Amino acid sequence: MTGPRCSGPRPPRCALTELLADHTTLRVGGPAARWIEATTTEALVAAIADADAAGEPVLVLSGGSNVLVADAGFDGVVVHVATSGVSTDGGTFCEIDADAVGPTGDGASCGGILVEVQAGENWDDFVAWTVAQGYIGVEALSGIPGAVGSTPIQNVGAYGQEVAQTIWSVRTWDRRDRTYRTFANADCDFSYRHSRFKAEPGRYVVVSVTFQFLQGSLGAPIRFGELARRLEVEAGGRAPLVDVRDTVLALRRGKGMVLDADDHDTWSAGSFFTNPIVDAEVAALLPQDAPRFPTEDGRVKSSAAWLIEHAGFAKGHGTPPATLSSKHTLALTNRGGATAADIVALAREVRDGVRERFGVTLVPEPVFVGVELDPAP
């Protein structure tokens, strides 16, 4: 569906214009009643504030990589975050020192540099830029689709890194109090795939994220076993930034986790379920070979992918056009022409199957817009 788009700091109302399937990596979702392309922070905030004042439903959409939109679409204004810009504070750089302590885990004796990134910047483009600059701390997050502004909400992480490890602060628009608010890292309440922004959905609109980086030729210590093995380093060892990025991209491509228009395994929302964190008593009831990772609060994190596969859902499970990825059981994919209802039905089947087999209820990671899994009993 095509037509004129709304733009500008105070955009006028306009007719039906955009099919949301064209703006999500799952490639499902019906039309938006109104679409606004916000290319500046001022336009972004004005569009949301005006809609809020008018009582109009608002969907803030950036990269569309972690969202499942109903086939009926969205009966309100969709504000597309298309802001851009990266700036640095010109701070002092330093190479990580093995004996020092700093934000990346092995630390350094100086504070590094602050880099402010506008919310609409493409995440992987930003990661590639940091590697080229010799900035340490997000290289293992290469290949993740979406925009920078979404990363603090989910505390995006992969291969042993999380954005919480390098985020200095997050600047937001508070829709409730109608004011800008900046949160230091310690005030973001980061935890596994969670933050204060996710805890209060819809309240805070991220407008920019400031990261703190150290500089060097080697990446942060490798904490993820699979990545360490591929890089041929010991756990906690280090490898050149470029090598870390290239290896992560290769690993992700092998799992269908790098966007490719010609590969239906990448027509997904990435990992559809988060890894479950359960009480020790529940973990003790899992099969002996089930993955177990102790958490700081005394609970145990297991592997959603392992549980899915061992509950009988193999790679490629399902009936097209919606199936599990042929490369990774944790991704639900659109094989072409799938609807949101198709994706939900498959997600419900997998969730219920895992719960029946292991007594663990998997929690979806994507944001659902106009759809939901039936409540777990």
Side-chain angles (χ1 to χ4, degrees):
M1 185 174 297
T2 59
R5 301 186 183 190
C6 303
S7 60
R10 298 281 175 178
R13 300 187 66 86
C14 63
L16 199 70
T17 57
E18 292 290 327
L19 193 64
L20 295 177
D22 295 334
H23 299 278
T24 65
T25 56
L26 261 169
R27 305 191 183 209
V28 300
R34 194 157 67 96
W35 174 274
I36 295 176
E37 190 90 356
T39 58
T40 67
T41 296
E42 294 74 19
L44 172 64
V45 169
I48 294 168
D50 286 354
D52 285 344
E56 187 175 11
V58 177
L59 172 62
V60 180
L61 185 70
S62 51
S65 62
N66 196 49
V67 63
L68 175 59
V69 181
D71 301 314
F74 187 73
D75 189 17
V77 57
V78 177
V79 181
H80 184 227
V81 183
T83 55
S84 61
V86 178
S87 60
T88 65
D89 71 347
T92 303
F93 284 123
C94 51
E95 177 77 45
I96 285 183
D97 183 272
D99 299 319
V101 177
T104 62
D106 264 1
S109 56
C110 62
I113 193 170
L114 300 182
V115 179
E116 184 181 14
V117 190
Q118 299 305 304
E121 284 284 348
N122 178 276
W123 172 256
D124 190 55
D125 288 348
F126 171 62
V127 174
W129 179 81
T130 67
V131 170
Q133 299 297 314
Y135 298 169
I136 301 164
V138 294
E139 59 278 357
L141 303 179
S142 295
I144 295 176
V148 168
S150 300
T151 61
I153 299 172
Q154 292 285 119
N155 185 17
V156 165
Y159 295 103
Q161 286 183 353
E162 295 178 330
V163 292
Q165 296 167 333
T166 48
I167 285 177
W168 177 262
S169 65
V170 180
R171 185 172 185 243
T172 71
W173 170 254
D174 184 341
R175 294 172 64 188
R176 189 190 72 182
D177 294 343
R178 296 178 62 84
T179 188
Y180 287 102
R181 293 187 65 184
T182 298
F183 296 92
N185 182 297
D187 298 321
C188 292
D189 297 338
F190 287 127
S191 60
Y192 173 68
R193 301 298 177 270
H194 194 72
S195 69
R196 75 178 301 154
F197 316 113
K198 187 175 181 179
E200 296 185 74
R203 177 176 174 178
Y204 298 106
V205 178
V206 176
V207 299
S208 70
V209 184
T210 298
F211 296 84
Q212 183 186 39
F213 294 116
L214 302 178
Q215 188 181 42
S217 59
L218 300 181
I222 305 298
R223 307 298 187 190
F224 194 82
E226 182 184 19
L227 180 57
R229 289 190 295 272
R230 288 288 291 268
L231 287 165
E232 299 182 345
V233 300
E234 297 292 329
R238 298 170 62 206
L241 282 166
V242 173
D243 291 352
V244 176
R245 173 171 168 78
D246 289 347
T247 302
V248 167
L249 287 173
L251 286 169
R252 290 184 65 87
R253 287 192 185 98
K255 298 174 182 178
M257 295 292 188
V258 176
L259 294 181
D260 181 348
D262 296 324
D263 181 0
H264 284 282
D265 279 328
T266 73
W267 293 25
S268 76
S271 297
F272 198 88
F273 296 101
T274 58
N275 289 324
I277 299 177
V278 300
D279 292 336
E281 294 79 8
V282 175
L285 298 175
L286 295 175
Q288 187 174 2
D289 56 341
R292 291 173 172 82
F293 307 97
T295 64
E296 293 181 356
D297 62 2
R299 295 188 296 166
V300 177
K301 181 167 68 174
S302 190
S303 164
W306 190 96
L307 295 173
I308 290 169
E309 187 167 351
H310 286 78
F313 301 104
K315 296 172 184 176
H317 173 86
T319 302
T323 73
L324 296 184
S325 166
S326 68
K327 300 181 179 73
H328 199 289
T329 55
L330 198 49
L332 278 62
T333 65
N334 177 359
R335 313 313 292 186
T339 64
D342 294 330
I343 301 295
V344 167
L346 178 60
R348 185 180 300 126
E349 179 190 6
V350 171
R351 182 204 62 180
D352 293 350
V354 169
R355 184 172 60 220
E356 181 178 351
R357 174 67 178 83
F358 298 112
V360 174
T361 300
L362 297 180
V363 176
E365 187 167 337
V367 175
F368 285 13
V369 179
V371 297
E372 62 180 10
L373 298 181
D374 54 333

